[in-house]
């Protein structure tokens, strides 16, 4: 099968342990993967980065200009892109990576859903975050300590993902909220009928 990873872009390392077909019309399947640890830069999709006006009257803003700023999540994407491309305390540019991760956290259940949903509809019981994967030289235990420091008031934070087991379903094209929900439901159907793997409600579902 042809790789979906763009040439030259780093992505978190994983091993495919199993591939499962799903009992419904169509050729749907999901993979059980074991991910190795990696690091990310993250920003809230509910808040906008602020600006600072220092004594020299030059404004520092992590937002990278976008061709279509009206796209949902554009401000979050721009803040993360700005951080990677050198708008950080060390002014150090890093290489772009893949994938872009969005995470919806349900406050009441403390259950995370990781997806590519770019819809800006907010729910009072949910928070949304977007993350870029950092280059692999920042994936070790001290990686985020050695990574460039985000600008003050940028809202960008650095985190380390410990990896672990993930169930993954892949689909192409631009993902609308409706598309994301469709494939979430298909993946959950597969896992609900899986005799070996079950959903950990205290962990992430990919």
């Amino acid at each position: 099968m042809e790789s979906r990873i763009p040439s030259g872009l780093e992505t978190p390392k994983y091993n495919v342990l199993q591939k499962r077909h799903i009992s419904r019309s169509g050729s749907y399947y999901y993979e059980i993967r074991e991910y190795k640890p990696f690091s990310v830069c993250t920003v809230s999709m509910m808040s906008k980065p602020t600006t600072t006006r220092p004594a020299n009257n030059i404004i520092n803003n992590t937002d990278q200009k976008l061709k279509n700023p009206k796209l949902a999540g554009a401000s979050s994407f721009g803040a993360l892109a700005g951080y990677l491309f050198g708008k950080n305390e060390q002014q150090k540019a890093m290489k772009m990576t893949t994938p872009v991760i969005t995470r919806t956290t349900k406050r009441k259940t403390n259950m995370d859903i990781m997806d590519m949903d770019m819809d800006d509809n907010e729910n009072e019981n949910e928070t949304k975050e977007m993350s870029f994967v950092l280059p692999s030289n920042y994936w070790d235990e001290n990686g985020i300590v050695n990574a460039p420091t985000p600008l003050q008031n940028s809202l960008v934070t650095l985190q380390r993902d410990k990896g672990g087991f993930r169930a993954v379903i892949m689909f192409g094209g631009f993902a609308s909220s409706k598309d994301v929900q469709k494939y979430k439901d298909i993946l959950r159907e597969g896992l609900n009928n899986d005799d070996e793997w079950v959903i950990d409600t205290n962990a992430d579902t990919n």
Side-chain angles (χ1 to χ4, degrees):
M1 181 173 127
E2 187 176 349
S3 174
R4 293 173 178 263
I5 302 172
S7 176
L9 295 187
E10 284 191 307
T11 193
K13 298 183 183 300
Y14 62 87
N15 294 317
V16 177
L17 304 181
Q18 293 172 334
K19 183 180 290 188
R20 307 282 213 216
H21 285 277
I22 301 172
S23 300
R24 78 157 55 191
S25 58
S27 56
Y28 298 116
Y29 69 91
Y30 61 96
E31 294 179 345
I32 302 297
R33 298 177 180 179
E34 183 175 12
Y35 277 84
K36 296 182 178 180
F38 59 96
S39 299
V40 298
C41 54
T42 299
V43 70
S44 171
M45 298 178 70
M46 302 290 191
S47 305
K48 293 183 178 180
T50 59
T51 60
T52 58
R53 189 179 294 276
N56 60 9
N57 209 38
I58 297 176
I59 293 178
N60 286 325
N61 193 328
T62 58
D63 273 5
Q64 195 80 350
K65 291 184 178 179
L66 302 177
K67 292 183 179 179
N68 188 352
K70 294 183 180 180
L71 284 175
S75 179
S76 302
F77 188 98
L80 295 174
Y83 168 77
L84 275 189
F85 297 153
K87 290 188 176 182
N88 51 63
E89 292 291 349
Q90 289 75 26
Q91 298 184 352
K92 180 175 182 178
M94 294 166 276
K95 292 183 179 180
M96 192 64 183
T97 58
T98 187
V100 176
I101 302 169
T102 64
R103 183 194 309 268
T104 301
T105 303
K106 299 184 182 298
R107 294 192 183 107
K108 289 185 177 180
T109 62
N110 198 33
M111 178 179 174
D112 290 350
I113 304 295
M114 292 174 61
D115 55 42
M116 293 300 295
D117 182 6
M118 305 298 287
D119 192 344
D120 268 350
N121 293 331
E122 296 182 4
N123 186 305
E124 63 180 3
N125 294 322
E126 294 181 346
T127 59
K128 301 184 76 170
E129 294 178 336
M130 180 181 290
S131 300
F132 283 10
V133 178
L134 294 180
S136 59
N137 50 313
Y138 302 116
W139 292 356
D140 61 24
E141 290 186 359
N142 296 317
I144 60 176
V145 175
N146 298 322
T149 306
L151 292 177
Q152 186 179 10
N153 298 326
S154 69
L155 303 183
V156 175
T157 62
L158 306 182
Q159 303 168 2
R160 188 167 187 263
D161 189 305
K162 295 181 180 179
F165 300 108
R166 307 284 169 86
V168 179
I169 188 169
M170 295 185 290
F171 55 96
F174 177 81
S176 67
S177 297
K178 186 176 180 179
D179 292 329
V180 170
Q181 189 59 52
K182 169 187 173 182
Y183 286 99
K184 280 184 185 178
D185 292 341
I186 293 173
L187 178 57
R188 289 182 185 279
E189 176 189 323
L191 291 171
N192 287 336
N193 293 313
D194 196 309
D195 294 331
E196 186 174 355
W197 298 92
V198 297
I199 299 174
D200 181 353
T201 57
N202 293 317
D204 297 330
T205 301
N206 294 359

